[in-house]
Amino acid sequence: MVAVAPPEHRIAGDRDHLGRAACLGLLLLLVFFALLSLGQGPSGVSAPQVLADWLAGREVATVDQVVMLNIRLPRLLTGMLVGASLAVSGAVMQGLFRNPLADPGLLGVSSGASLGAIASIVLGGLLPPAIAGIFGWYLVPVAAFAGSWIAMVVLYGIATRHGRTSVATMLLAGIALAAMIAAVAGLIIYYANDAQLRDLTFWGLGSLAGSSWTKLSAAAPIILLSLAAMPMLARGLNGLALGEATAAHVGIRVQRTKAIAILATAGATGASVAVSGGIGFVGIVVPHLLRLVIGPDHRWLLINSALLGATVLIAADIISRLVVAPAELPIGIITAMFGGPFFMWVLLSNRRVLDA
Amino acid sequence: MNLTARNLHVILGSHPVLHGVDLTAMAGRLTAIIGPNGSGKTTLLRALTGELRPAVGSVTLNGQDMARLQPETLARRRAVLPQQSALSFPFTVAEILRIGLIAHACDDVEARALIRAALAKVDLPEHSGRFYQELSGGEQQRVQLARALIQVWQPVGDQGPRWLLLDEPVSSLDIAHQLTVMRLAKNYARAGGGVIAVMHDLNLTAMFADHVLLMQQGRASAEGPTETVLTDRLLSQAYGCDLRIRHAPGDGVWLLPQGAVV
Ligand SMILES: Nc1ncnc2c1ncn2[C@@H]1O[C@H](COP(=O)(O)OP(=O)(O)OP(=O)(O)O)[C@@H](O)[C@H]1O
Ligand SMILES: [Mg+2]
């Protein structure tokens, strides 16, 4: 299945075999953590047991079935999609902005989403009951998604002139827009009551606890569509590493690459933030780590980022449920607690490469 | 088959840079663009690559309007070495060359063979595993040349001659590698391809160019066979300093002692 070329045929500096091997390894790791995640939770239902019973055609207790199918499985799938989205979006943004520290936050996606969430948490009560009733519990995710898209469309519009998008303008306008959004958000927070403030804080920390099939079925199509678009970007992003002019010279349609990158990233992160809140660090740490191991070739970086991102998020979710069991911590705390020091360590041990 | 520019006017920002330049570069010849700093050589080359759209005038490649050609099609007919190159992630030399093959449908075996051959041509046969960012300036320039070369490896294709557009290809090279690269360009032209090179070294231009365009303040002040453009009068006037042409002993190679008269 994985054909690794014998060394004498390979040329030095060709790292395709590493990308391929990483794919396989990460796939196995993902399956391992997925099973672990299914088997873990306060109810004590054992995944191998349930699976074995199912396969053998034995009766499975209804409670076990409900726990597995309606609680743990949607949570696992949501975690995988969100992790993959955040990591791939990070890799795509870094390629587009030609900067290893870029993340989807630069598109205004995160600030737009948080404004949407804040507004719906604090002002949602002011909506006429009929309208609030339509959205029900989904008011926050829907508002977050709408907020992220509006912010992104505004930024894209500002940065595009005569059919060409200026990445540098987008970056700077993104910072200005984020500041303006933060001011509006601050104003709304000023009027929040104590219960709303608590909700806001938890939303900001991110969590997979509220996962359900309904939420997943709303977010999954957007996320999957966005993820499916990303492999088309691999060669374009490789070309862009040499600058926009050279990318065009080697045959890349630069403007189309930019547009797809921006739309797909905004879709994937917008939907992810909507279902899980603000989960930081995955988008920067995962692609960075992979670049150190398999190199920056986007043909391998994107797919491996998706796999590692999904794995990392599931692992973080498992930890978040273990630390204070039977309660659970917001997952954003876990990713930051592990991601921060880890990233620092990676940076410090690679100073030579970074400073060069 | 040729690459021609007709009455090119290019405006950058609000600044008119080219004021009606004409150029006819023929396949099979090495065409040099010379002229002082800021005279518009790079701008002209960027218009010839299709990167800049002229405000007035047109560029045609093998008889087809450049503005109508798709990026992929264009990439299979001409390759470009820019005056400056940047790289944002730690790619290896082999991976950079691979980027030159983006517009081609070639399998791994072909790609490997091409990468090896291209690196050998620019005299970097052992460098495929090195990180680009850790190479010297001259080595980086030769890697970029190899990246361009691999993109149009066969000088002539089904659609006619292919083109190499080089902006100061020898600017950071030592004397031996200047000769390596100029011979490489000349051989590409001899094999039927087209080469247009922006040059600052007038000696190398005299040695290798078949046809020369002299730029001055956004205009072509002379165009023609090398010996008709490299004259005392034209060069002294264009560069604003006194230059004398001498004949080298032996065959008809021209030599230009810089600042012949002090
Ligand atoms: N992006 C730009 N905007 C405005 N003016 C520009 C731009 N790029 C170049 N110019 C101007 O156009 C003129 C021609 O520039 P060009 O780069 O073509 O010169 P050149 O002949 O290649 O010079 P050199 O020998 O230094 O490379 C210069 O006066 C330069 O200042
Ligand atoms: Mg120049």
Side-chain angles (χ1 to χ4, degrees), chain A residues 8 47 69 91 98 107 123 152 200 206 231 249-250 252 255 325 339 341 349:
Chain A
E8 66 269 24
L69 281 184
R98 300 158 47 74
L107 292 179
L123 308 175
M152 190 277 305
L200 282 179
H249 294 154
V250 299
I252 300 297
Q255 184 58 27
S349 53

Side-chain angles (χ1 to χ4, degrees), chain B residues 12-13 15 17 35-43 46 83 168 200:
Chain B
L12 292 176
H15 184 76
V17 176
N37 290 144
S39 57
K41 304 180 296 298
T42 295
T43 309
R46 286 171 70 201
Q83 188 169 2
E168 301 195 24
H200 271 309

